[in-house]
Amino acid sequence: MTHTTGKVPSEAAAPASEGTTPLPAPRRTRTWRVLTPWLFLLAPLALLITFTYAPIANMVAYSFTDWDGVSPELHYTGAENYTEIFTREDLFQVFFVSGYYLIASVIQIVAALYFATVLSFQVRFRTFYKGVLFFPSLVNGVAIGFVFLYFFQDGGTFDTVLGLFGFHTDHAWLGTPFSANTSLAGVSVWRYLGMNFVLFLGAIQSIPGELYEASELDGATRWHQFRYIILPGIKPVLTLTVILSVSGSLSAFEIPYIMTGGATGTETFVIQTVKLAFQFNKTGLASAAAVVLLLIILLVTWVQRRLVPDDRVDLV
């Protein structure tokens, strides 16, 4: 009897121990769990706010003033700077110069995608070709500008090369708006082709090789592999490249500034903004131009993402 009575409390206690939930962590522990990620993010967020968002906020504020960049005094002018940008023909016409670089960016993407596709398969000397294509991306932009400045000058390297093939011309390649902008856009294609090529090549090589083998067993050609395997597989990288190319064409600066300084109708939006701020001391107007450029790039990016949504593609 005594033995049975001693057993009952232990049996009754067993279900109670199984049904108990673990005690919640102390309040101090939960607080540290919440704060720890933000402590790691504190330094990068401080740098981001200090060197990115704070200058953008100042730029937007200056765009509504007539500040000359030097004087401690500035006066609020409302939307006068923005009205001037869209009504003055000499300020608005730089948008048309960006058209040359937009066309060049399309050529650049198509060429980079072509070379990346070809060199992703077994081709003789493909390592050599990869190095040749990527080499311009390693060269400083200022050096490229000076090299091609002599390349396109009258009687320069380009005329000499054309003469070897029987084409003798005295055309000034940087002397007219059309030929100058075409030449500058061609230089930008040569310079940035390698970077897009590497992005495409890396994306293509990440596609599983079994898909190519299965498609070959089904009788697929190289075009079918490109259309139904490569293009869907690199869609996120292709979308990113298009966004970068469009924003880069709208903000072209380095090559045209070094080669022509914006003369002969080659002034881009960024060159014009720099001249307004540092040559004509119109920092307020230059800030408004920079805000307009930022809004245009954001709008183009938004439209592009709406037209081509970044859907997840699973090929396996």
Side-chain angles (χ1 to χ4, degrees), residues 251-283:
S251 57
F253 171 72
E254 207 169 33
I255 298 299
Y257 187 77
I258 295 297
M259 294 183 64
T260 63
T264 326
T266 60
E267 188 174 64
T268 62
F269 203 89
V270 179
I271 293 177
Q272 181 190 78
T273 303
V274 171
K275 286 185 176 181
L276 288 174
F278 300 104
Q279 184 174 343
F280 301 107
N281 293 330
K282 294 184 178 181
T283 305

PDB file of all heavy atoms in Angstrom, residues 251-283:
ATOM      1  N   SER A 251      24.483  59.516 -68.265  1.00  0.00           N
ATOM      2  CA  SER A 251      25.458  60.239 -67.439  1.00  0.00           C
ATOM      3  C   SER A 251      26.874  60.140 -67.995  1.00  0.00           C
ATOM      4  O   SER A 251      27.839  60.148 -67.232  1.00  0.00           O
ATOM      5  CB  SER A 251      25.425  59.697 -66.010  1.00  0.00           C
ATOM      6  OG  SER A 251      25.686  58.297 -66.001  1.00  0.00           O
ATOM      7  N   ALA A 252      27.014  60.044 -69.312  1.00  0.00           N
ATOM      8  CA  ALA A 252      28.348  59.971 -69.927  1.00  0.00           C
ATOM      9  C   ALA A 252      29.136  61.245 -69.626  1.00  0.00           C
ATOM     10  O   ALA A 252      28.630  62.355 -69.774  1.00  0.00           O
ATOM     11  CB  ALA A 252      28.204  59.782 -71.432  1.00  0.00           C
ATOM     12  N   PHE A 253      30.388  61.068 -69.233  1.00  0.00           N
ATOM     13  CA  PHE A 253      31.178  62.251 -68.873  1.00  0.00           C
ATOM     14  C   PHE A 253      32.648  62.118 -69.257  1.00  0.00           C
ATOM     15  O   PHE A 253      33.211  62.986 -69.928  1.00  0.00           O
ATOM     16  CB  PHE A 253      31.073  62.494 -67.364  1.00  0.00           C
ATOM     17  CG  PHE A 253      32.016  63.563 -66.864  1.00  0.00           C
ATOM     18  CD1 PHE A 253      31.798  64.901 -67.156  1.00  0.00           C
ATOM     19  CD2 PHE A 253      33.131  63.219 -66.120  1.00  0.00           C
ATOM     20  CE1 PHE A 253      32.673  65.880 -66.702  1.00  0.00           C
ATOM     21  CE2 PHE A 253      34.008  64.175 -65.662  1.00  0.00           C
ATOM     22  CZ  PHE A 253      33.771  65.517 -65.951  1.00  0.00           C
ATOM     23  N   GLU A 254      33.282  61.044 -68.839  1.00  0.00           N
ATOM     24  CA  GLU A 254      34.738  60.936 -68.883  1.00  0.00           C
ATOM     25  C   GLU A 254      35.293  61.067 -70.294  1.00  0.00           C
ATOM     26  O   GLU A 254      36.133  61.937 -70.571  1.00  0.00           O
ATOM     27  CB  GLU A 254      35.160  59.599 -68.276  1.00  0.00           C
ATOM     28  CG  GLU A 254      36.538  59.588 -67.674  1.00  0.00           C
ATOM     29  CD  GLU A 254      36.767  58.326 -66.868  1.00  0.00           C
ATOM     30  OE1 GLU A 254      36.207  57.279 -67.250  1.00  0.00           O
ATOM     31  OE2 GLU A 254      37.502  58.388 -65.866  1.00  0.00           O
ATOM     32  N   ILE A 255      34.821  60.219 -71.210  1.00  0.00           N
ATOM     33  CA  ILE A 255      35.353  60.188 -72.572  1.00  0.00           C
ATOM     34  C   ILE A 255      35.088  61.496 -73.318  1.00  0.00           C
ATOM     35  O   ILE A 255      36.020  62.093 -73.870  1.00  0.00           O
ATOM     36  CB  ILE A 255      34.781  58.981 -73.339  1.00  0.00           C
ATOM     37  CG1 ILE A 255      35.208  57.673 -72.674  1.00  0.00           C
ATOM     38  CG2 ILE A 255      35.244  59.008 -74.798  1.00  0.00           C
ATOM     39  CD1 ILE A 255      36.688  57.455 -72.640  1.00  0.00           C
ATOM     40  N   PRO A 256      33.843  61.992 -73.372  1.00  0.00           N
ATOM     41  CA  PRO A 256      33.619  63.261 -74.104  1.00  0.00           C
ATOM     42  C   PRO A 256      34.317  64.456 -73.473  1.00  0.00           C
ATOM     43  O   PRO A 256      34.744  65.372 -74.193  1.00  0.00           O
ATOM     44  CB  PRO A 256      32.093  63.426 -74.089  1.00  0.00           C
ATOM     45  CG  PRO A 256      31.620  62.563 -72.987  1.00  0.00           C
ATOM     46  CD  PRO A 256      32.574  61.421 -72.907  1.00  0.00           C
ATOM     47  N   TYR A 257      34.460  64.466 -72.152  1.00  0.00           N
ATOM     48  CA  TYR A 257      35.113  65.614 -71.512  1.00  0.00           C
ATOM     49  C   TYR A 257      36.598  65.658 -71.843  1.00  0.00           C
ATOM     50  O   TYR A 257      37.161  66.731 -72.068  1.00  0.00           O
ATOM     51  CB  TYR A 257      34.915  65.529 -69.993  1.00  0.00           C
ATOM     52  CG  TYR A 257      35.413  66.748 -69.255  1.00  0.00           C
ATOM     53  CD1 TYR A 257      34.668  67.920 -69.244  1.00  0.00           C
ATOM     54  CD2 TYR A 257      36.627  66.720 -68.575  1.00  0.00           C
ATOM     55  CE1 TYR A 257      35.123  69.041 -68.569  1.00  0.00           C
ATOM     56  CE2 TYR A 257      37.087  67.824 -67.891  1.00  0.00           C
ATOM     57  CZ  TYR A 257      36.330  68.982 -67.900  1.00  0.00           C
ATOM     58  OH  TYR A 257      36.795  70.090 -67.233  1.00  0.00           O
ATOM     59  N   ILE A 258      37.245  64.491 -71.875  1.00  0.00           N
ATOM     60  CA  ILE A 258      38.675  64.444 -72.182  1.00  0.00           C
ATOM     61  C   ILE A 258      38.929  64.734 -73.657  1.00  0.00           C
ATOM     62  O   ILE A 258      39.850  65.479 -74.021  1.00  0.00           O
ATOM     63  CB  ILE A 258      39.266  63.071 -71.804  1.00  0.00           C
ATOM     64  CG1 ILE A 258      39.194  62.862 -70.284  1.00  0.00           C
ATOM     65  CG2 ILE A 258      40.705  62.948 -72.283  1.00  0.00           C
ATOM     66  CD1 ILE A 258      40.002  63.845 -69.480  1.00  0.00           C
ATOM     67  N   MET A 259      38.095  64.169 -74.540  1.00  0.00           N
ATOM     68  CA  MET A 259      38.376  64.242 -75.970  1.00  0.00           C
ATOM     69  C   MET A 259      37.933  65.559 -76.599  1.00  0.00           C
ATOM     70  O   MET A 259      38.613  66.085 -77.480  1.00  0.00           O
ATOM     71  CB  MET A 259      37.717  63.063 -76.686  1.00  0.00           C
ATOM     72  CG  MET A 259      38.309  61.716 -76.302  1.00  0.00           C
ATOM     73  SD  MET A 259      37.584  60.324 -77.198  1.00  0.00           S
ATOM     74  CE  MET A 259      38.092  60.725 -78.890  1.00  0.00           C
ATOM     75  N   THR A 260      36.804  66.092 -76.189  1.00  0.00           N
ATOM     76  CA  THR A 260      36.298  67.324 -76.819  1.00  0.00           C
ATOM     77  C   THR A 260      35.974  68.420 -75.828  1.00  0.00           C
ATOM     78  O   THR A 260      35.822  69.579 -76.234  1.00  0.00           O
ATOM     79  CB  THR A 260      35.028  67.019 -77.641  1.00  0.00           C
ATOM     80  OG1 THR A 260      34.000  66.552 -76.748  1.00  0.00           O
ATOM     81  CG2 THR A 260      35.294  65.963 -78.699  1.00  0.00           C
ATOM     82  N   GLY A 261      35.838  68.094 -74.558  1.00  0.00           N
ATOM     83  CA  GLY A 261      35.462  69.099 -73.579  1.00  0.00           C
ATOM     84  C   GLY A 261      34.045  69.613 -73.767  1.00  0.00           C
ATOM     85  O   GLY A 261      33.686  70.662 -73.241  1.00  0.00           O
ATOM     86  N   GLY A 262      33.230  68.878 -74.519  1.00  0.00           N
ATOM     87  CA  GLY A 262      31.864  69.303 -74.769  1.00  0.00           C
ATOM     88  C   GLY A 262      31.705  70.173 -76.001  1.00  0.00           C
ATOM     89  O   GLY A 262      30.599  70.634 -76.297  1.00  0.00           O
ATOM     90  N   ALA A 263      32.794  70.413 -76.737  1.00  0.00           N
ATOM     91  CA  ALA A 263      32.720  71.249 -77.937  1.00  0.00           C
ATOM     92  C   ALA A 263      32.128  70.461 -79.096  1.00  0.00           C
ATOM     93  O   ALA A 263      31.958  69.249 -79.032  1.00  0.00           O
ATOM     94  CB  ALA A 263      34.120  71.756 -78.296  1.00  0.00           C
ATOM     95  N   THR A 264      31.821  71.151 -80.168  1.00  0.00           N
ATOM     96  CA  THR A 264      31.308  70.560 -81.405  1.00  0.00           C
ATOM     97  C   THR A 264      30.021  69.765 -81.166  1.00  0.00           C
ATOM     98  O   THR A 264      29.808  68.695 -81.733  1.00  0.00           O
ATOM     99  CB  THR A 264      32.346  69.634 -82.076  1.00  0.00           C
ATOM    100  OG1 THR A 264      33.653  70.136 -81.855  1.00  0.00           O
ATOM    101  CG2 THR A 264      32.110  69.557 -83.577  1.00  0.00           C
ATOM    102  N   GLY A 265      29.167  70.288 -80.295  1.00  0.00           N
ATOM    103  CA  GLY A 265      27.892  69.638 -80.055  1.00  0.00           C
ATOM    104  C   GLY A 265      27.975  68.317 -79.340  1.00  0.00           C
ATOM    105  O   GLY A 265      27.068  67.486 -79.471  1.00  0.00           O
ATOM    106  N   THR A 266      29.035  68.089 -78.558  1.00  0.00           N
ATOM    107  CA  THR A 266      29.199  66.816 -77.848  1.00  0.00           C
ATOM    108  C   THR A 266      28.980  66.958 -76.345  1.00  0.00           C
ATOM    109  O   THR A 266      29.309  66.045 -75.590  1.00  0.00           O
ATOM    110  CB  THR A 266      30.610  66.250 -78.096  1.00  0.00           C
ATOM    111  OG1 THR A 266      31.587  67.197 -77.609  1.00  0.00           O
ATOM    112  CG2 THR A 266      30.840  65.988 -79.571  1.00  0.00           C
ATOM    113  N   GLU A 267      28.445  68.078 -75.915  1.00  0.00           N
ATOM    114  CA  GLU A 267      28.255  68.308 -74.490  1.00  0.00           C
ATOM    115  C   GLU A 267      27.154  67.406 -73.953  1.00  0.00           C
ATOM    116  O   GLU A 267      26.017  67.427 -74.432  1.00  0.00           O
ATOM    117  CB  GLU A 267      27.905  69.771 -74.237  1.00  0.00           C
ATOM    118  CG  GLU A 267      27.886  70.157 -72.774  1.00  0.00           C
ATOM    119  CD  GLU A 267      27.681  71.650 -72.583  1.00  0.00           C
ATOM    120  OE1 GLU A 267      26.603  72.151 -72.955  1.00  0.00           O
ATOM    121  OE2 GLU A 267      28.605  72.327 -72.085  1.00  0.00           O
ATOM    122  N   THR A 268      27.470  66.619 -72.965  1.00  0.00           N
ATOM    123  CA  THR A 268      26.492  65.739 -72.338  1.00  0.00           C
ATOM    124  C   THR A 268      25.879  66.429 -71.126  1.00  0.00           C
ATOM    125  O   THR A 268      26.279  67.531 -70.741  1.00  0.00           O
ATOM    126  CB  THR A 268      27.148  64.424 -71.896  1.00  0.00           C
ATOM    127  OG1 THR A 268      28.162  64.706 -70.909  1.00  0.00           O
ATOM    128  CG2 THR A 268      27.768  63.708 -73.084  1.00  0.00           C
ATOM    129  N   PHE A 269      24.908  65.759 -70.523  1.00  0.00           N
ATOM    130  CA  PHE A 269      24.206  66.363 -69.398  1.00  0.00           C
ATOM    131  C   PHE A 269      25.138  66.592 -68.219  1.00  0.00           C
ATOM    132  O   PHE A 269      25.066  67.623 -67.552  1.00  0.00           O
ATOM    133  CB  PHE A 269      23.046  65.450 -68.982  1.00  0.00           C
ATOM    134  CG  PHE A 269      21.958  66.157 -68.248  1.00  0.00           C
ATOM    135  CD1 PHE A 269      20.900  66.734 -68.921  1.00  0.00           C
ATOM    136  CD2 PHE A 269      21.981  66.261 -66.867  1.00  0.00           C
ATOM    137  CE1 PHE A 269      19.886  67.393 -68.243  1.00  0.00           C
ATOM    138  CE2 PHE A 269      20.984  66.917 -66.175  1.00  0.00           C
ATOM    139  CZ  PHE A 269      19.933  67.487 -66.871  1.00  0.00           C
ATOM    140  N   VAL A 270      26.032  65.657 -67.973  1.00  0.00           N
ATOM    141  CA  VAL A 270      26.944  65.793 -66.828  1.00  0.00           C
ATOM    142  C   VAL A 270      27.981  66.878 -67.093  1.00  0.00           C
ATOM    143  O   VAL A 270      28.319  67.653 -66.195  1.00  0.00           O
ATOM    144  CB  VAL A 270      27.623  64.446 -66.533  1.00  0.00           C
ATOM    145  CG1 VAL A 270      28.591  64.577 -65.369  1.00  0.00           C
ATOM    146  CG2 VAL A 270      26.581  63.382 -66.233  1.00  0.00           C
ATOM    147  N   ILE A 271      28.494  66.953 -68.320  1.00  0.00           N
ATOM    148  CA  ILE A 271      29.452  68.018 -68.661  1.00  0.00           C
ATOM    149  C   ILE A 271      28.799  69.375 -68.487  1.00  0.00           C
ATOM    150  O   ILE A 271      29.403  70.318 -67.949  1.00  0.00           O
ATOM    151  CB  ILE A 271      29.968  67.837 -70.099  1.00  0.00           C
ATOM    152  CG1 ILE A 271      30.823  66.582 -70.204  1.00  0.00           C
ATOM    153  CG2 ILE A 271      30.770  69.057 -70.545  1.00  0.00           C
ATOM    154  CD1 ILE A 271      31.321  66.295 -71.604  1.00  0.00           C
ATOM    155  N   GLN A 272      27.573  69.495 -68.925  1.00  0.00           N
ATOM    156  CA  GLN A 272      26.858  70.762 -68.769  1.00  0.00           C
ATOM    157  C   GLN A 272      26.668  71.107 -67.298  1.00  0.00           C
ATOM    158  O   GLN A 272      26.839  72.268 -66.896  1.00  0.00           O
ATOM    159  CB  GLN A 272      25.487  70.650 -69.452  1.00  0.00           C
ATOM    160  CG  GLN A 272      24.665  71.923 -69.375  1.00  0.00           C
ATOM    161  CD  GLN A 272      23.245  71.693 -69.829  1.00  0.00           C
ATOM    162  OE1 GLN A 272      22.423  71.165 -69.100  1.00  0.00           O
ATOM    163  NE2 GLN A 272      22.944  72.078 -71.060  1.00  0.00           N
ATOM    164  N   THR A 273      26.342  70.118 -66.482  1.00  0.00           N
ATOM    165  CA  THR A 273      26.153  70.364 -65.055  1.00  0.00           C
ATOM    166  C   THR A 273      27.443  70.823 -64.396  1.00  0.00           C
ATOM    167  O   THR A 273      27.454  71.751 -63.576  1.00  0.00           O
ATOM    168  CB  THR A 273      25.639  69.087 -64.368  1.00  0.00           C
ATOM    169  OG1 THR A 273      24.428  68.662 -65.003  1.00  0.00           O
ATOM    170  CG2 THR A 273      25.368  69.323 -62.903  1.00  0.00           C
ATOM    171  N   VAL A 274      28.555  70.189 -64.746  1.00  0.00           N
ATOM    172  CA  VAL A 274      29.856  70.572 -64.185  1.00  0.00           C
ATOM    173  C   VAL A 274      30.217  72.000 -64.595  1.00  0.00           C
ATOM    174  O   VAL A 274      30.704  72.799 -63.774  1.00  0.00           O
ATOM    175  CB  VAL A 274      30.941  69.578 -64.639  1.00  0.00           C
ATOM    176  CG1 VAL A 274      32.320  70.072 -64.256  1.00  0.00           C
ATOM    177  CG2 VAL A 274      30.690  68.207 -64.022  1.00  0.00           C
ATOM    178  N   LYS A 275      29.976  72.360 -65.839  1.00  0.00           N
ATOM    179  CA  LYS A 275      30.277  73.716 -66.297  1.00  0.00           C
ATOM    180  C   LYS A 275      29.400  74.749 -65.601  1.00  0.00           C
ATOM    181  O   LYS A 275      29.869  75.837 -65.236  1.00  0.00           O
ATOM    182  CB  LYS A 275      30.094  73.807 -67.815  1.00  0.00           C
ATOM    183  CG  LYS A 275      31.195  73.130 -68.609  1.00  0.00           C
ATOM    184  CD  LYS A 275      31.017  73.373 -70.105  1.00  0.00           C
ATOM    185  CE  LYS A 275      32.174  72.785 -70.896  1.00  0.00           C
ATOM    186  NZ  LYS A 275      32.018  73.029 -72.365  1.00  0.00           N
ATOM    187  N   LEU A 276      28.134  74.432 -65.418  1.00  0.00           N
ATOM    188  CA  LEU A 276      27.244  75.366 -64.721  1.00  0.00           C
ATOM    189  C   LEU A 276      27.719  75.625 -63.299  1.00  0.00           C
ATOM    190  O   LEU A 276      27.671  76.763 -62.813  1.00  0.00           O
ATOM    191  CB  LEU A 276      25.816  74.824 -64.703  1.00  0.00           C
ATOM    192  CG  LEU A 276      25.041  74.833 -66.018  1.00  0.00           C
ATOM    193  CD1 LEU A 276      23.710  74.124 -65.861  1.00  0.00           C
ATOM    194  CD2 LEU A 276      24.820  76.263 -66.517  1.00  0.00           C
ATOM    195  N   ALA A 277      28.205  74.583 -62.631  1.00  0.00           N
ATOM    196  CA  ALA A 277      28.596  74.721 -61.229  1.00  0.00           C
ATOM    197  C   ALA A 277      29.955  75.368 -61.059  1.00  0.00           C
ATOM    198  O   ALA A 277      30.121  76.262 -60.211  1.00  0.00           O
ATOM    199  CB  ALA A 277      28.579  73.345 -60.560  1.00  0.00           C
ATOM    200  N   PHE A 278      30.948  74.960 -61.853  1.00  0.00           N
ATOM    201  CA  PHE A 278      32.323  75.382 -61.596  1.00  0.00           C
ATOM    202  C   PHE A 278      32.853  76.423 -62.589  1.00  0.00           C
ATOM    203  O   PHE A 278      33.860  77.055 -62.307  1.00  0.00           O
ATOM    204  CB  PHE A 278      33.240  74.160 -61.613  1.00  0.00           C
ATOM    205  CG  PHE A 278      32.884  73.137 -60.569  1.00  0.00           C
ATOM    206  CD1 PHE A 278      32.231  71.965 -60.923  1.00  0.00           C
ATOM    207  CD2 PHE A 278      33.183  73.347 -59.237  1.00  0.00           C
ATOM    208  CE1 PHE A 278      31.893  71.015 -59.973  1.00  0.00           C
ATOM    209  CE2 PHE A 278      32.851  72.401 -58.272  1.00  0.00           C
ATOM    210  CZ  PHE A 278      32.198  71.237 -58.641  1.00  0.00           C
ATOM    211  N   GLN A 279      32.214  76.571 -63.724  1.00  0.00           N
ATOM    212  CA  GLN A 279      32.672  77.566 -64.689  1.00  0.00           C
ATOM    213  C   GLN A 279      31.814  78.824 -64.656  1.00  0.00           C
ATOM    214  O   GLN A 279      32.340  79.944 -64.738  1.00  0.00           O
ATOM    215  CB  GLN A 279      32.653  76.969 -66.101  1.00  0.00           C
ATOM    216  CG  GLN A 279      33.217  77.899 -67.167  1.00  0.00           C
ATOM    217  CD  GLN A 279      33.326  77.218 -68.519  1.00  0.00           C
ATOM    218  OE1 GLN A 279      33.292  75.984 -68.617  1.00  0.00           O
ATOM    219  NE2 GLN A 279      33.468  77.996 -69.565  1.00  0.00           N
ATOM    220  N   PHE A 280      30.509  78.643 -64.516  1.00  0.00           N
ATOM    221  CA  PHE A 280      29.596  79.787 -64.501  1.00  0.00           C
ATOM    222  C   PHE A 280      29.068  80.104 -63.110  1.00  0.00           C
ATOM    223  O   PHE A 280      28.263  81.026 -62.954  1.00  0.00           O
ATOM    224  CB  PHE A 280      28.420  79.530 -65.446  1.00  0.00           C
ATOM    225  CG  PHE A 280      28.825  79.285 -66.870  1.00  0.00           C
ATOM    226  CD1 PHE A 280      28.757  78.015 -67.411  1.00  0.00           C
ATOM    227  CD2 PHE A 280      29.302  80.318 -67.662  1.00  0.00           C
ATOM    228  CE1 PHE A 280      29.139  77.778 -68.717  1.00  0.00           C
ATOM    229  CE2 PHE A 280      29.686  80.088 -68.965  1.00  0.00           C
ATOM    230  CZ  PHE A 280      29.607  78.817 -69.503  1.00  0.00           C
ATOM    231  N   ASN A 281      29.511  79.351 -62.093  1.00  0.00           N
ATOM    232  CA  ASN A 281      29.136  79.590 -60.693  1.00  0.00           C
ATOM    233  C   ASN A 281      27.619  79.636 -60.497  1.00  0.00           C
ATOM    234  O   ASN A 281      27.094  80.464 -59.757  1.00  0.00           O
ATOM    235  CB  ASN A 281      29.758  80.901 -60.177  1.00  0.00           C
ATOM    236  CG  ASN A 281      31.264  80.819 -60.087  1.00  0.00           C
ATOM    237  OD1 ASN A 281      31.824  79.751 -59.856  1.00  0.00           O
ATOM    238  ND2 ASN A 281      31.936  81.944 -60.284  1.00  0.00           N
ATOM    239  N   LYS A 282      26.920  78.722 -61.143  1.00  0.00           N
ATOM    240  CA  LYS A 282      25.474  78.607 -60.973  1.00  0.00           C
ATOM    241  C   LYS A 282      25.181  77.256 -60.314  1.00  0.00           C
ATOM    242  O   LYS A 282      24.644  76.340 -60.927  1.00  0.00           O
ATOM    243  CB  LYS A 282      24.760  78.724 -62.312  1.00  0.00           C
ATOM    244  CG  LYS A 282      24.876  80.097 -62.960  1.00  0.00           C
ATOM    245  CD  LYS A 282      24.068  80.176 -64.243  1.00  0.00           C
ATOM    246  CE  LYS A 282      24.142  81.571 -64.853  1.00  0.00           C
ATOM    247  NZ  LYS A 282      23.334  81.668 -66.094  1.00  0.00           N
ATOM    248  N   THR A 283      25.539  77.172 -59.031  1.00  0.00           N
ATOM    249  CA  THR A 283      25.399  75.909 -58.326  1.00  0.00           C
ATOM    250  C   THR A 283      23.942  75.527 -58.153  1.00  0.00           C
ATOM    251  O   THR A 283      23.587  74.344 -58.195  1.00  0.00           O
ATOM    252  CB  THR A 283      26.086  76.000 -56.957  1.00  0.00           C
ATOM    253  OG1 THR A 283      27.453  76.402 -57.138  1.00  0.00           O
ATOM    254  CG2 THR A 283      26.053  74.665 -56.236  1.00  0.00           C
TER     255      THR A 283
END
